[in-house]
Amino acid sequence: MITYKQYCSLIICLAADYDLTGQLVWPGATLMNNYLSKNLDMLQGCSIIELGSGIGVTGILCSRFSSEVVLTDHNEEVLKASSKVPISFQQCSIRPLFNTVDQLLRIRGKNNCKFILAYVSRAKMMDTIVTTEAIQHGMKVEEIPGTRSVVGNGEGVIFEITLR
């Protein structure tokens, strides 16, 4: 049986705010994988939970350099890999995401676990929505310098989020 305590050194989430299927590589995965490839040392010895893994390309990368990886997705169709059902990362998805992350971070402790969120958004207000939700959960949000970039037809960014 897998417990949250075992898998909480690093929580990774890739997201987008427009319709994509869980059977494609998301633009957020491109952003995250480029970042992780340049910072492989952060994966060494970590246990990782990837929230919203889709086809799992980031989890596969992480598995090469970390001690343990768990891939998750909320979409049953993605988990079954049987059909292409559109999924979105919209404001309604942010609160449940942060509720989950809050529980995982609190179980492991504020010094032993961090949440890394990568997303590509066409809406300028997405940063504000994410930051506001994190603050409401008692979290500290830091944009990782040098990660803000254009990916496809949206702007991508990576945040590191920890408990205060």
Side-chain angles (χ1 to χ4, degrees):
M1 175 183 218
I2 297 171
T3 66
Y4 289 122
K5 244 180 183 175
Q6 292 172 305
Y7 291 96
C8 194
S9 295
L10 185 62
I11 304 165
I12 293 175
C13 181
L14 310 171
D17 73 336
Y18 50 93
D19 288 345
L20 294 169
T21 65
Q23 297 180 6
L24 298 173
V25 176
W26 290 32
T30 301
L31 182 64
M32 180 68 85
N33 291 349
N34 287 338
Y35 171 72
L36 292 174
S37 295
K38 294 173 186 166
N39 297 281
L40 293 173
D41 57 314
M42 74 182 296
L43 300 175
Q44 298 296 324
C46 276
S47 298
I48 295 172
I49 297 175
E50 184 182 359
L51 303 176
S53 58
I55 64 170
V57 69
T58 299
I60 293 167
L61 170 67
C62 291
S63 72
R64 304 245 351 214
F65 302 98
S66 61
S67 58
E68 302 170 288
V69 176
V70 172
L71 305 171
T72 69
D73 205 287
H74 75 284
N75 186 313
E76 289 297 322
E77 295 304 313
V78 170
L79 295 173
K80 290 189 284 184
S82 62
S83 68
K84 295 184 177 184
V85 176
I87 47 182
S88 318
F89 181 66
Q90 298 174 351
Q91 189 171 359
C92 64
S93 302
I94 294 174
R95 177 152 296 154
L97 169 68
F98 275 93
N99 289 342
T100 299
V101 169
D102 183 55
Q103 289 179 24
L104 292 171
L105 290 175
R106 291 186 191 286
I107 288 169
R108 187 65 174 171
K110 77 179 205 176
N111 296 321
N112 297 320
C113 192
K114 60 185 166 184
F115 172 45
I116 298 176
L117 172 64
Y119 63 83
V120 174
S121 175
R122 292 185 288 184
K124 295 284 184 194
M125 64 186 266
M126 187 58 80
D127 290 355
T128 302
I129 294 167
V130 167
T131 302
T132 300
E133 191 64 37
I135 290 169
Q136 288 176 351
H137 278 84
M139 298 174 186
K140 177 181 168 187
V141 180
E142 294 181 331
E143 182 175 324
I144 298 175
T147 62
R148 191 168 292 272
S149 59
V150 174
V151 180
N153 57 347
E155 182 179 68
V157 66
I158 301 177
F159 291 109
E160 183 174 297
I161 301 169
T162 55
L163 290 176
R164 289 197 177 274

